[in-house]
């Protein structure tokens, strides 16, 4: 969840100072605002639904279709796919899920992807990650036709992201979600500093690109610093001291909490 830390309650702090005796430790209190990500997600779904309705008024045969391929029975993947299916249904998008056995060969998977690429009735394709160990994520993801690459994981779409972060490419969903959240808050980002914790090619790196890119190309004009799970604690603490915004995407529980005493007031997490 995104937490927006507001300023200290100055009046209350002054009142507490008067009440506390000299031998009592004064503990500062902070106030945080928890951002309602569920509401933003619903707003986006409604926007997509209305756009599809408007498109259908112009093109009566318009029937968008999304296909998701899941290999094996990863519990987290099943949850993600169920939510995607639910969102697709709400928006009016036909959704098909293809479940393959864990021991499916890479060649068979790529052949299936090739067939979907050629199927003009299918508009988008998701190959749910993670893949089994015997498959190459890079090879499989780049087998998807860039125009159908809903996840934005192909080298083509990631490369386009380096040039523009707006509508010129299909952007990895987590990175785009971060941008949507920041934009919805109306927070000033121009010239502000941001720390991104995480360096994966489909989450951390795209987030850093979007935050630091020129606003004329869809970016947020921030000065960014990239850290990760192996960044020395002292170095992480140093950059957190001056951060106006922190995006944690390292998949390591508690990595931000360890340095919380160094965080600025009024920062965005």
């Amino acid at each position: 969840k995104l937490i927006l830390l507001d300023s200290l309650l100055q009046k209350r702090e002054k009142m507490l100072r008067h009440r506390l005796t000299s031998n009592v430790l004064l503990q500062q209190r902070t106030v945080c605002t928890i951002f309602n990500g569920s509401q933003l997600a619903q707003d986006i779904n409604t926007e997509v639904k209305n756009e599809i309705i408007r498109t259908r008024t112009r093109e009566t045969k318009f029937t968008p279709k999304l296909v998701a391929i899941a290999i094996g029975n990863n519990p987290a993947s099943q949850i993600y796919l169920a939510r995607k299916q639910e969102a697709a249904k709400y928006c009016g998008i036909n959704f098909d899920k293809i479940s393959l056995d864990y021991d499916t060969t890479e060649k068979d998977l790529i052949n299936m992807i090739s067939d979907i690429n050629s199927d003009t009735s299918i508009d988008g394709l998701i190959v749910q990650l993670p893949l089994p160990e015997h498959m190459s994520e890079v090879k499989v993801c780049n087998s998807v036709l860039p125009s159908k690459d809903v996840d934005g994981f192909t080298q083509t779409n990631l490369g386009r992201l380096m040039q523009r972060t707006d509508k010129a490419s299909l952007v990895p969903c987590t990175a785009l979600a971060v941008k949507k959240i920041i934009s919805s808050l109306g927070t000033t980002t121009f010239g502000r500093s941001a720390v991104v914790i995480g360096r994966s090619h489909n989450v951390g790196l795209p987030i850093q690109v979007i935050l630091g890119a020129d606003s004329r190309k869809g970016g947020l004009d921030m000065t960014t610093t990239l850290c990760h799970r192996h960044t020395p604690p002292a170095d992480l603490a140093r950059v957190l001291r001056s951060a106006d915004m922190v995006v944690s995407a390292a998949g390591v529980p508690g990595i931000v909490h360890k340095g919380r005493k160094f965080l600025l007031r009024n920062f965005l997490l």
Side-chain angles (χ1 to χ4, degrees), residues 28-267:
Q28 293 183 327
R29 296 184 60 193
T30 58
V31 178
C32 66
T33 300
I34 300 178
F35 176 75
N36 191 340
S38 297
Q39 183 58 56
L40 176 59
Q42 184 58 44
D43 292 343
I44 293 173
N45 283 340
T46 300
E47 180 183 348
V48 172
K49 178 180 180 179
N50 292 336
E51 179 61 28
I52 290 175
I53 292 174
R54 287 191 294 268
T55 302
R56 280 178 175 159
T57 60
R58 301 189 303 268
E59 304 174 30
T60 56
K61 294 183 179 181
F62 178 66
T63 53
K65 183 176 181 180
L66 174 64
V67 173
I69 300 176
I71 302 93
N73 192 30
N74 184 295
S77 294
Q78 299 305 316
I79 294 174
Y80 295 147
L81 288 174
R83 291 177 178 173
K84 291 171 184 177
Q85 183 172 13
E86 181 181 347
K89 181 180 179 180
Y90 175 84
C91 295
I93 299 173
N94 293 334
F95 182 93
D96 282 350
K97 174 186 171 184
I98 300 175
S99 298
L100 302 178
D101 294 335
Y102 184 86
D103 57 359
T104 299
T105 66
E106 181 180 270
K107 181 179 179 181
D108 287 342
L109 174 59
I110 291 177
N111 286 339
M112 177 176 289
I113 292 173
S114 179
D115 291 340
I116 293 173
N117 288 339
S118 303
D119 190 338
T120 57
S121 70
I122 298 174
D123 301 282
L125 172 61
I126 294 172
V127 180
Q128 186 64 42
L129 302 180
L131 296 173
E133 294 182 356
H134 63 275
M135 293 184 181
S136 166
E137 179 180 321
V138 172
K139 188 174 181 180
V140 169
C141 287
N142 281 289
S143 299
V144 178
L145 192 67
S147 61
K148 296 187 179 185
D149 174 29
V150 174
D151 278 327
F153 291 167
T154 60
Q155 293 170 348
T156 298
N157 283 323
L158 288 174
R160 287 172 178 166
L161 180 63
M162 300 301 108
Q163 297 176 327
R164 293 192 69 91
T165 65
D166 49 15
K167 297 181 179 179
S169 66
L170 292 167
V171 180
C173 60
T174 305
L176 186 58
V178 170
K179 180 182 179 182
K180 289 283 189 180
I181 290 170
I182 295 170
S183 298
S184 71
L185 292 172
T187 302
T188 300
T189 58
F190 184 85
R192 307 296 290 273
S193 63
V195 174
V196 179
I197 309 175
R199 57 181 175 179
S200 66
H201 69 272
N202 50 15
V203 180
L205 292 178
I207 290 174
Q208 184 191 24
V209 170
I210 290 174
L211 297 184
D214 192 324
S215 59
R216 293 172 298 180
K217 298 180 179 180
L220 297 180
D221 286 318
M222 303 191 76
T223 299
T224 60
T225 301
L226 185 69
C227 300
H228 48 80
R229 65 179 65 206
H230 299 305
T231 299
D235 291 341
L236 178 59
R238 175 176 53 79
V239 296
L240 288 178
R241 286 190 184 100
S242 59
D244 297 304
M245 182 184 301
V246 178
V247 180
S248 180
V252 179
I255 194 169
V256 175
H257 291 74
K258 293 177 182 178
R260 65 185 181 274
K261 64 181 179 180
F262 301 108
L263 294 170
L264 292 174
R265 298 187 182 104
N266 303 317
F267 83 105

